[in-house]
């Protein structure tokens, strides 16, 4: 007979390679505390429902609490012989309190047990991600406020477009992260659901109280259908997709950080604490953390697709394929949490090179739209003003000058009423401050936006 905890029906032991292939303890030991928490709730309910005696309940609870303390003291050793965290805990509990430990599994299957663990784990990690996003949003708010006067070239197609406030640019990431956070918050209603008591798929004949275990574990409600309860992994896919969006936003920011700290741009300087050097080129200071976040966004996207493919053709209810739901999920969550934490520190400590940015704005045509709009004020149709400005820009490029260098006489040849005001209009500061619409780039609008952001955080 097999010596596995489920081995009563088996006459021979498992092949060594099969045993290795079948085990998941190297991954799912991450769920140790959730498994203990779920087991304490379950056995407490069994005692209250008189399914177990008071003494049996007390022994099992004390044994579980003792295992928790052993784990905190690094005094537990898990074995692949017992496959997963659930059977390892049951084996360790049996060693500690004897055969009464076998009664812990009354009215419960590993199917609803692991589902309960995963729900508890996901709720905890989603809340940590929400906290990490909030911290990064605070970092963005602070740097936006501290540098409210800094104007940078805005880009479309990676070509100079129009002058904007650096704060306006940074705050766009605040709002991306706000949507990320709201998606996570809203998803909790679908994650914080109790599958405990669903058994393998059909429920149980024992007179259990599922409402009690749900309340003890702080679940909002119970799955209405026991089959759905043990086979549902939608909440994992949803969380992984939300992580994909977070990492995609961080990857976009990473790309800009990498460009901005290049020698050609030199808009920012990253702290040494968030940079690395070269083993051969002494002068190098590399934005490796931004590059790693950009790279890891691809890894978590791959994790999501892998999970989707694992689930796409599974019949109901539980299948061993679902053992594969953990490794990539745990990796995506920890990658996201680490990336958010690193970005908070990197944003907090980065230096804005204001002089370099200011000089850059003197050598482009990002004020061309200002000239076109100015010509419209003299009654020239915008399309005609656009064409006149475009032609003048082309001439300036040939002459190696900029719009601010064009003489007043040349401007008057375009329209006789143009005066010295044109040079004020063409200044980057004017281009920014004239855009006072609700979500525009003027200082007034961006400060209002920052206050709106603060209200979201509060």
């Amino acid at each position: 007979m097999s010596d596995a905890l489920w081995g009563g029906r088996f006459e021979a032991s498992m092949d060594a390679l099969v045993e290795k292939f079948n085990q998941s303890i190297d991954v799912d030991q991450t769920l140790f505390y959730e498994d203990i928490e779920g087991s304490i709730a379950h056995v407490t309910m069994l005692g209250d429902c008189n399914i177990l005696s008071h003494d049996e309940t007390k022994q099992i609870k004390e044994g579980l609490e003792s295992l928790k303390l052993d784990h905190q003291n690094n005094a537990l050793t898990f074995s692949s012989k017992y496959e997963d965290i659930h059977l390892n805990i049951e084996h360790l509990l049996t060693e500690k309190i004897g055969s009464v430990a076998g009664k812990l599994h009354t009215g419960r299957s590993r199917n609803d047990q692991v589902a309960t663990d995963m729900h508890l784990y996901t709720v905890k990690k989603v809340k940590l991600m929400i906290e990490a996003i909030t911290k990064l949003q605070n970092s963005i708010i602070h740097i936006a406020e501290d540098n409210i006067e800094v104007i940078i070239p805005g880009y479309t197609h990676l070509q100079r477009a129009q002058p904007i406030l650096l704060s306006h640019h940074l705050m766009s990431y605040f709002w991306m992260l706000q949507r990320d956070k709201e998606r996570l918050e809203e998803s909790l209603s679908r994650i914080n659901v109790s599958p405990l008591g669903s058994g393998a798929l059909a429920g149980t004949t024992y007179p259990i109280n599922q409402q009690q275990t749900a309340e003890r574990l702080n679940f909002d409600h119970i799955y209405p259908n026991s089959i759905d309860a043990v086979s549902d992994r939608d909440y994992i896919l949803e969380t992984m997709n939300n992580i994909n969006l977070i990492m995609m936003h961080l990857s976009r920011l990473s790309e800009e950080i990498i460009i901005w700290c290049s020698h050609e741009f030199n808009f920012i300087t990253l702290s040494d604490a968030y940079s690395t050097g070269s083993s051969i080129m002494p002068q190098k200071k590399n934005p490796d953390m931004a590059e790693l976040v950009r790279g890891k966004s691809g890894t978590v996207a791959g994790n999501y697709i892998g999970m989707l493919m694992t689930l796409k053709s599974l019949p109901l209810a539980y299948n061993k394929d679902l053992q594969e739901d953990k490794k990539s999920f745990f990796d995506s969550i920890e990658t996201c949490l680490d990336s958010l934490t690193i970005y908070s520190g990197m944003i907090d400590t980065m230096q804005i090179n204001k002089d370099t940015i200011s000089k850059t704005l003197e050598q482009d045509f990002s004020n061309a739209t200002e000239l076109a709009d100015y010509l419209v004020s003299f009654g020239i149709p915008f399309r005609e003003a656009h064409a006149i400005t475009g032609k003048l820009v082309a001439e300036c490029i040939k002459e190696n000058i900029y719009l601010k260098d064009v003489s007043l006489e040349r401007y008057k040849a375009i329209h006789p009423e143009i005066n010295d005001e044109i040079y004020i209009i063409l200044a980057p500061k004017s281009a920014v401050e004239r855009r006072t619409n609700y979500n525009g780039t003027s200082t007034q609008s961006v400060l209002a936006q920052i206050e709106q952001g603060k209200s979201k955080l509060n």
Side-chain angles (χ1 to χ4, degrees):
M1 186 180 76
S2 168
D3 58 358
L5 291 179
W6 41 261
R9 180 242 187 271
F10 292 77
E11 296 179 359
S13 296
M14 186 181 287
D15 178 87
L17 178 58
V18 172
E19 180 178 300
K20 178 183 176 184
F21 195 71
N22 185 57
Q23 66 87 24
S24 60
I25 186 61
D26 56 330
V27 173
D28 61 27
Q29 61 183 284
T30 298
L31 298 172
F32 175 85
Y33 288 107
E34 286 77 19
D35 203 73
I36 293 289
E37 185 181 358
S39 292
I40 289 173
H42 180 67
V43 75
T44 300
M45 177 274 295
L46 292 177
D48 289 346
C49 293
N50 296 315
I51 298 169
L52 297 185
S53 70
H54 173 76
D55 287 344
E56 289 169 334
T57 303
K58 184 172 182 289
Q59 282 185 70
I60 293 172
K61 285 175 68 175
E62 287 177 352
L64 290 168
E65 292 288 357
S66 178
L67 286 179
K68 187 194 296 187
L69 186 61
D70 289 344
H71 191 274
Q72 290 168 354
N73 294 328
N74 297 312
L76 292 184
T77 301
F78 301 125
S79 170
S80 60
K81 178 181 178 181
Y82 299 104
E83 295 182 27
D84 55 35
I85 190 61
H86 324 295
L87 296 187
N88 265 272
I89 287 176
E90 187 170 337
H91 168 71
L92 291 167
L93 185 64
T94 301
E95 286 188 336
K96 190 173 285 285
I97 66 172
S99 61
V100 69
K103 296 193 174 186
L104 170 60
H105 211 51
T106 305
R108 186 175 71 170
S109 163
R110 273 191 294 173
N111 295 357
D112 61 338
Q113 184 179 1
V114 67
T116 300
D117 293 357
M118 288 295 282
H119 279 275
L120 291 171
Y121 172 88
T122 307
V123 168
K124 178 174 71 177
K125 293 298 184 177
V126 165
K127 289 179 178 179
L128 288 175
M129 283 190 284
I130 290 169
E131 290 176 12
I133 289 173
T134 300
K135 184 177 179 182
L136 177 52
Q137 286 180 296
N138 271 305
S139 297
I140 291 171
I141 287 276
H142 290 150
I143 199 166
E145 276 192 312
D146 290 346
N147 296 277
I148 191 65
E149 80 287 358
V150 178
I151 302 171
I152 65 169
Y155 291 81
T156 62
H157 309 278
L158 263 183
Q159 303 294 313
R160 299 276 182 91
Q162 292 176 296
I164 58 171
L165 289 184
L166 170 64
S167 301
H168 190 52
H169 189 100
L170 292 173
M171 284 299 293
S172 67
Y173 287 99
F174 176 96
W175 297 111
M176 292 181 209
L177 290 165
Q178 182 63 26
R179 292 193 296 274
D180 292 333
K181 187 164 69 174
E182 289 170 0
R183 275 187 286 267
L184 288 173
E185 289 169 339
E186 197 269 335
S187 73
L188 284 169
S189 65
R190 289 179 293 280
I191 301 169
N192 202 31
V193 188
S194 178
L196 194 54
S198 300
L201 79 163
T204 178
T205 58
Y206 293 96
I208 62 172
N209 185 338
Q210 287 172 273
Q211 191 62 43
Q212 178 184 334
T213 50
E215 288 175 1
R216 184 179 180 93
L217 295 171
N218 294 312
F219 285 123
D220 294 330
H221 51 97
I222 303 166
Y223 275 94
N225 184 289
S226 62
I227 300 174
D228 185 39
V230 297
S231 60
D232 174 31
R233 295 299 184 273
D234 292 358
Y235 65 97
I236 293 178
L237 274 175
E238 181 177 5
T239 302
M240 292 180 81
N241 189 50
N242 288 337
I243 289 171
N244 273 333
L245 288 167
I246 295 167
M247 292 299 293
M248 178 270 290
H249 291 148
L250 293 183
S251 181
R252 295 183 74 179
L253 178 54
S254 293
E255 179 73 6
E256 298 196 307
I257 292 289
I258 292 162
I259 291 171
W260 285 354
C261 69
S262 68
H263 179 77
E264 287 72 18
F265 274 72
N266 196 29
F267 285 3
I268 63 170
T269 301
L270 296 178
S271 163
D272 288 356
Y274 294 91
S275 307
T276 65
S278 165
S279 61
I280 188 172
M281 295 166 284
Q283 83 282 8
K284 293 292 294 296
K285 183 177 181 180
N286 300 324
D288 277 9
M289 294 308 102
E291 291 174 0
L292 277 170
V293 170
R294 185 176 60 181
K296 287 176 182 293
S297 68
T299 301
V300 300
N303 287 344
Y304 173 76
I305 295 300
M307 181 73 72
L308 195 63
M309 292 303 98
T310 297
L311 294 169
K312 77 175 182 66
S313 298
L314 284 187
L316 294 174
Y318 184 85
N319 297 273
K320 192 70 169 182
D321 311 51
L322 292 175
Q323 183 168 290
E324 293 299 302
D325 67 356
K326 298 171 190 66
K327 187 173 183 179
S328 59
F329 184 44
F330 295 167
D331 176 70
S332 291
I333 283 178
E334 294 308 319
T335 296
C336 185
L337 284 168
D338 287 348
S339 298
L340 288 165
T341 302
I342 286 168
Y343 247 100
S344 292
M346 193 157 64
I347 294 295
D348 283 338
T349 56
M350 78 179 183
Q351 171 187 313
I352 309 298
N353 299 330
K354 299 179 183 180
D355 290 342
T356 302
I357 294 171
S358 180
K359 290 174 184 175
T360 301
L361 285 164
E362 298 298 319
Q363 298 176 342
D364 67 16
F365 293 96
S366 61
N367 53 0
T369 304
E370 308 313 305
L371 176 57
D373 286 344
Y374 183 59
L375 295 180
V376 168
S377 70
F378 297 108
I380 300 174
F382 180 78
R383 282 298 163 211
E384 185 179 340
H386 185 287
I388 291 169
T389 303
K391 182 181 178 182
L392 183 58
V393 167
E395 292 171 357
C396 287
I397 291 172
K398 290 177 182 177
E399 298 169 27
N400 198 28
I401 62 173
Y402 298 97
L403 292 176
K404 65 183 178 59
D405 303 318
V406 174
S407 67
L408 183 58
E409 290 72 24
R410 195 167 175 181
Y411 279 124
K412 281 184 174 292
I414 295 173
H415 196 284
E417 294 183 31
I418 293 178
N419 56 44
D420 287 345
E421 181 188 24
I422 183 67
Y423 299 108
I424 298 173
I425 294 292
L426 292 174
K429 179 72 171 173
S430 297
V432 165
E433 296 302 347
R434 292 170 67 209
R435 284 167 168 75
T436 57
N437 54 297
Y438 168 72
N439 57 358
T441 193
S442 70
T443 302
Q444 168 190 323
S445 298
V446 174
L447 284 173
Q449 182 188 160
I450 288 171
E451 288 305 312
Q452 186 181 359
K454 286 180 178 178
S455 71
K456 289 286 185 182
L457 295 180
N458 292 333

